[in-house]
Amino acid sequence: MKIAVIGQSIFGQEVYSELRKEGHTIVAVFTIPDKDGKADPLATAAEKDGIPVFKFPRWRLKGKAIPGVLDQYRTVGAELNVLPFCSQFIPMEVIDCPKHGSIIYHPSLLPRHRGASAIHWTLIHGDKKAGFTVFWADDGLDTGPILLQRECDVEPDDTVNTIYNRFLFPEGVKGTVEAVRLIAAGKAPRITQPEEGATYEAIQKKENAKIDWNQTAEALHNWIRGNDKVPGAWAEVDGQKVTFYGSTLVDNGTTASGQPLEIPGASQPGLVSKGGLVLFGNDGKTLLVKNLQFENGKMIPAAQYFRSAESAAVELNEEEKAFAEEMRVVWKSILTNVEEIVDSTDFFKSGAASMDVVRLVEEVKLRANEVQLQNEDVYMATSFQEFIQMCVRKLRGEDGEEELEVDYVERNVNNMTIRMPHQLFINGEFVDAEGDKTYKTINPTDGQPICDVSLAQVADVDRAVAAAKEAFEEGEWGKMNPRDRGRLIYRLADLMEQHQEELATIEAIDSGAVYTLALKTHVGMSIQTFRYFAGWCDKIQGTTIPINQARPNRNLTFTRREPIGVCAIVIPWNYPLMMLAWKTAACLAAGNTVVLKPAQVTPLTAVKFAELTARAGFPKGVVNILPGAGSLVGQRLSDHPDVRKLGFTGSTEIGKHIMKSCAVSNVKKVSLELGGKSPLIIFSDCDMDKAVRMGMSSVFFNKGENCIAAGRLFVEEPIHEQFVQRVVEEVKKMKIGDPLDRSTDHGPQNHKAHLDKLVEYCQTGVKEGARLVCGGKHIARPGFFFEPTVFTDVTDSMFIAKEESFGPVMIISKFKAGDVDEVLKRANATEFGLASGVFTRDISKALYVSEKLQAGTVFVNTYNKTDVASPFGGFKQSGFGKDLGQEALNEYLKTKAVTIEY
C-alpha cells in the first residue's frame, strides 16, 4: 500500500520503520517543523531514507484547510494515512482523501477516555486496565469507529512513563502495524464507538493540576502519579508552589514517623521521613512522595525538605577546577543559545531537554569515571554551580555517605576500634526486625555475647525480596551499563581492602577464625573474588547459531545471557565473609539483585559488608542482608514466588529440603554446595615432608571447619607409622589460644553446639574401636576450644569413616602397598564428592588417580589450593553448581534464544 505517515516523535519513527519492513511504500512523511534547529526523529529517519518530508507549521487556518498545504498533500497519492502520534489538527479534506481513509493511534481504551490527556486520566481515575486504540478518523478526531484495541493491567504505582514504556509504546507500534496489515488484507473492522461510558476531561495543564486534599490516600496517589512527570501535581507549602513526584501507596499496617510538615488543606500534616514525604488522605491512610520540585525549578529528595537549601560550598582544588572548566565547555556546546555559562545558568531554563540530560551524563562519564552520575541527579542540581558542587562531592566519595544511618556497636579490640552494624539491611537502610526481635551473637573465644543482632522475621523477608525485585525490574541497577556495574564492584572491593583489618577482626571475634588467617583468606580471598568478577561484568556474551534456513527466507539466531532476577543466598558459618563473596560477587556481576541470609551464629561481617555496599554507591535494594534462623528466613526464601534463584552452602540434609521447597514453590533455579567426606590418598613414594605439612593443613586448616577438609586419609602401609608419628609431633607443636594473638595456630570452634557435636563424634570413634592417638576433648578453659585430634586403625564400616566431623579430627586408614585400584574403590565408596587429594611423585599414578576420584576438585601434591578463577563445586550428594571461575556466572544467568526472519 501507498502510505502517508502523519505525526512525530520516536513512536512515529518506529511505526514508519516497521511499515517499511512490512513492504509498504511510504510516499511521504508529514511532521512538525524543526525545533531549535533539531529535526523530529520521524523526519530524520525519513530524510535518511530519501522519503519526501513535509514540515507544515499548521494545516488549517481559522478552521479551514490551507489550500497550498492541501495541494501539496494531494500530490503524494497516498492510499492510506497513518497517524501514529500527531499533535496537529488535520483537516477532514486530508483525513478522507485516501481510498482507505485514515487511522489514528490513541493511548486509551476508547470510548472510556477521549481527548489529549487520556493516559493521564486512566491513572487519575484509578482504572485497573489501560491500553490503546487504533481507530478510523472522523471529524470528532477520537470518536470514529474502532479498528483494533489492546489492553494491559495497571500496576499500583504505575505512572504515565511506566505504562508508556512497558506497554503503550512497544505494543502500540505493533498494534498500529497490525491495523495496517488488516486493512491491506481487507479484514479491518469498523466498530462504532458507543457514547455510553465516554469521558471528556480537561487537558492536563499546570493550573489544572493543583491537589485537592479532601480525598482518600488512593485518590491522592492517583492524582499525583497521573500528573507525573507532566504537568506535575502541586500544592502550596510554606507559601510557595511545590510539585510532587514519585508517589507510592504505603502499607498502612506500619506506623509512619518523621518531622511534621504543615500543608494547607491537608487532613493532617505530612511527615518528612527517611524514605520521603508521607502524606495522609481523608481516610487516614498514607502515601509516600519521593521527590519535590520548587518554583525555581530545583528538585530535591523529599526526605531532605528540612535541610539547608544550600549546603556549604565545596572549595575546589586545581584538578577539580580544571574539571569544572571542561564542564563549562560541555554546557556551552549543549546550550547553544546561551552566550556565557555562569554559576547561575540553569540547565533547563536555558532550553535543555531530556536528550540533553542523557548527553550531559555521558559527557561527565567520559571525563570522570569516578562520578556515578544518573539522569535524576541533573534534575536535582539544575544550575551550573549546583551541578559542579554535586559532581565534586561524588568525585571525593562524599556524596550519599550522610544518607546512610548506621547504629554501630563499637568495641576496642585488636589495637583498633571496630564499628559493627547489627541491624537488618533492607532497601539500602539498616532497620530493626519486625517486632524489634533480636538475639545475641556469641564470641567463641570466651562464650560471651558480642552484641544484640536483629532477628529477621517472615515480613522482613518479604520486604527485602520486594526491594530486590523493584531494584531489578524498575531501578537503576537493571538499566545500568555492565561496565558501570563492574566499576561499582571494583569500588566495593577497594572499600573492603581499606577495611580489611576491621573485617578480619570482626571475623575473628564472631567466628573464632585466627586473625592472620582471616586477614589472608577470609577477607583477602573475598576481595580477590569481587575484583575477579567485576572484570566479567562487560564480558558476558551470547553466541550466533547457524540454523537450518527455510528458503527463500533467511534467519538470524543468537543467544542472550540475561540475569535471572532476585537471587537468594544462604551461607554457612565457617567462612562467613568468604562464602558471601564466592556467591554474591558472581550474582552481582551477572546483573542480579540479592537477598542474603548469613548463618545465625556469624552475622557480623555480612552486615558490615552491607554497609560497604552502600558506601560504594550500590543502588538501594540491590543487596539485602537478613540475619536470622534458617528454619524461618531460609525457608521463606525457598518458598518465595519472587525469588528466581537460590544458592546454598550447608549440610546435605538441609540442601535436600531446600531443593524440594524450591521445586514446589516456583521451580526456582538452585545451586548447592553440601557436605563432604573428602579422601586424601598418600602413597609411599610421596615427598614425606610435604605430605605431613599439607596433610596437617588438609584437616586442621581453619580449625577443621572447612568444607573441603580431608575427612579421611588413606596412607600406604610402608609409611603409615612414620606418617602418624610425624603428624602427632606437629600437632603437639600447635598453639591453641586467642585467635587475635598473632602466634596462635588454632582458635576456638565456631559455637557451643558444634563443640558438643565434636566431643560426641570422638566418643563414638573410641566406642567403635578406632585408636585415639591424641586429642578428642574439650579444652578446660573459657570458650569453645577443642583439641586437634588424630584417629588411626579406622575401618571402612566405622561411623567416623563415613560421616563428616567438620572439625579438627584426622581420620587415618591404611591401604596395602601397590593396591591403587582398591584404595580408589574405598575412597569413592561415599555419597559425597566435594574434594579429594593424592600425594605421589609418580606423575602417571597421579593422573590415573585424579581421573578416577569422584570429586569436583582433586588436589595433587597440595591441598586447599583454591583460586577465584578455578570453579569450585561437588559431585553426588555434595551438591551441584559451581562457585568461582567463569562457570560460576552460569549459576546466575539464563540463556534466551532469539530467531529473526529477514
Side-chain angles (χ1 to χ4, degrees), residues 136 147 179 181-190:
W136 300 93
L147 192 163
R181 198 179 293 137
L182 290 171
I183 293 170
K187 298 179 180 179
R190 290 176 178 265

Side-chain angles (χ1 to χ4, degrees), residues 136 179 293 449 537 569 604 708 826 846:
W136 300 93
Q293 188 173 36
C537 289
I569 293 174
L604 295 180
I708 58 171
R826 294 172 68 191

